[in-house]
Amino acid sequence: MEHFESWKDLLNPEFYIKMGGFWLILFIIFAETGLFVGFFLPGDSLLFISGIYAVKIIDTTFGTTGSDFLDTTILATAVAVAAIIGNEIGYWFGYKSGPLLYERKDTFLFKKKYLFKAHDFFEDHGTVAVILARFLPIVRTFAPIVAGIVKMDKKKFFYYNIIGAFAWSFTMIFAGHYLDKLFMDQFGIDLKKKLEIIVLVIVLVTTLPIVIKFFFTKDKERPTRID
C-alpha cells in the first residue's frame, strides 16, 4: 500500500504508517484530542501496529539505535508527548469555550451525543477518567474538553494527562512490538500478515464498552447548556 486507494484506507492503520510514518502517526494521535476528530481515527490499532513496525519506523526517520527496546521506547515516548499536547489543547478549549459546544449543531466531525457521553463518563469516574478515557475510543476525544468545562484543576489535569498518555502509549506500542516477536518465535506466526484480523479484534474490544453504554443505557435528562 503505497498510495491512497479508497476511503477505506483512512480506517487502516497500516496506511498511515506506510504513507506518513513517524510524523503522521504523531499528528493523528495529537488530532484525536487536539482537533476533536478521534471518533473515526484508528487510535488504539494504530499504536499496536506501530509497535509491530517500531524499529523500521525509527530507523527510517532517525536511524536505528541498534536496540529494539530503545527504538520502541523512542516511538512510545514521542506518541505520549503528542497525546499530552493534544489533551492540553482539548482542556484549554473546554475551559475557554466548552459550554458553547452544547449549543452547537452536529456536523460530520462533531457529534454532541459524544460530548454528553464523555461528560457522563467523567462524572462517574472523577479525575481518574482522564487516565481511563485514554483507552476508550470517542470518550478520549471529548474527555479533556469536559475536564476543561467542569474547571478541573489545571495542575491535577496535567498530572493525570501525563500518566494516561504514557500508560496508553507504552501499553499499546510495546504490546504490538513484543507480541509480534512472541508469536513469530513461539508459533511461527507473522502478525504483519494478520493485520486485518488484529485491527478487527482491537476495534471490537475497545469499542464494545462504548456501544453498550450508547445503546443499552438510558440517557440522562440534558439541559440545553452546561455551565
Side-chain angles (χ1 to χ4, degrees):
M1 186 189 307
E2 299 299 334
H3 60 278
F4 179 80
E5 296 177 353
S6 74
W7 64 269
K8 293 181 180 179
D9 288 340
L10 299 178
L11 302 177
N12 186 344
E14 194 178 14
F15 168 76
Y16 297 100
I17 293 171
K18 291 189 175 181
M19 286 297 292
F22 180 81
W23 300 111
L24 184 55
I25 292 170
L26 297 190
F27 175 75
I28 290 172
I29 297 306
F30 162 78
E32 276 202 303
T33 50
L35 301 181
F36 326 127
V37 292
F39 67 91
F40 72 87
L41 292 174
D44 297 307
S45 54
L46 176 63
L47 293 196
F48 187 90
I49 294 174
S50 293
I52 294 177
Y53 287 100
V55 175
K56 183 177 180 180
I57 291 171
I58 296 302
D59 186 25
T60 301
T61 308
F62 306 108
T64 182
T65 64
S67 165
D68 281 16
F69 177 79
L70 288 179
D71 286 346
T72 306
T73 299
I74 291 172
L75 178 61
T77 300
V79 165
V81 171
I84 290 169
I85 295 173
N87 255 20
E88 288 297 319
I89 291 178
Y91 174 87
W92 174 85
F93 185 81
Y95 195 90
K96 294 295 183 179
S97 59
L100 296 178
L101 290 176
Y102 291 95
E103 300 175 355
R104 180 177 174 178
K105 294 182 179 180
D106 284 353
T107 65
F108 176 72
L109 295 179
F110 175 82
K111 303 296 182 183
K112 191 185 297 184
K113 66 179 180 180
Y114 297 152
L115 188 61
F116 282 127
K117 293 297 183 181
H119 188 276
D120 293 346
F121 183 81
F122 198 90
E123 283 189 337
D124 291 340
H125 299 282
T127 54
V128 180
V130 178
I131 298 176
L132 297 178
R134 276 293 178 193
F135 296 86
L136 297 173
I138 301 176
V139 173
R140 65 169 162 262
T141 299
F142 293 97
I145 301 176
V146 172
I149 292 172
V150 301
K151 299 295 190 290
M152 179 178 177
D153 180 76
K154 294 179 181 179
K155 292 182 179 179
K156 184 178 292 186
F157 175 80
F158 184 60
Y159 173 74
Y160 284 104
N161 183 19
I162 292 175
I163 294 176
F166 273 90
W168 179 56
S169 173
F170 274 72
T171 297
M172 299 305 298
I173 290 178
F174 272 82
H177 183 72
Y178 285 104
L179 282 177
D180 179 49
K181 293 175 68 67
L182 175 65
F183 273 75
M184 179 60 74
D185 294 342
Q186 298 297 322
F187 309 108
I189 298 175
D190 186 356
L191 293 187
K192 297 181 183 67
K193 296 180 180 179
K194 309 289 184 181
L195 294 183
E196 291 185 0
I197 297 177
I198 291 172
V199 171
L200 179 60
V201 171
I202 292 176
V203 169
L204 288 176
V205 170
T206 57
T207 59
L208 187 58
I210 304 300
V211 171
I212 292 174
K213 186 173 180 63
F214 274 27
F215 295 102
F216 297 97
T217 59
K218 293 183 178 181
D219 289 332
K220 298 178 181 179
E221 292 185 4
R222 310 289 186 184
T224 56
R225 178 183 176 119
I226 294 180
D227 296 312

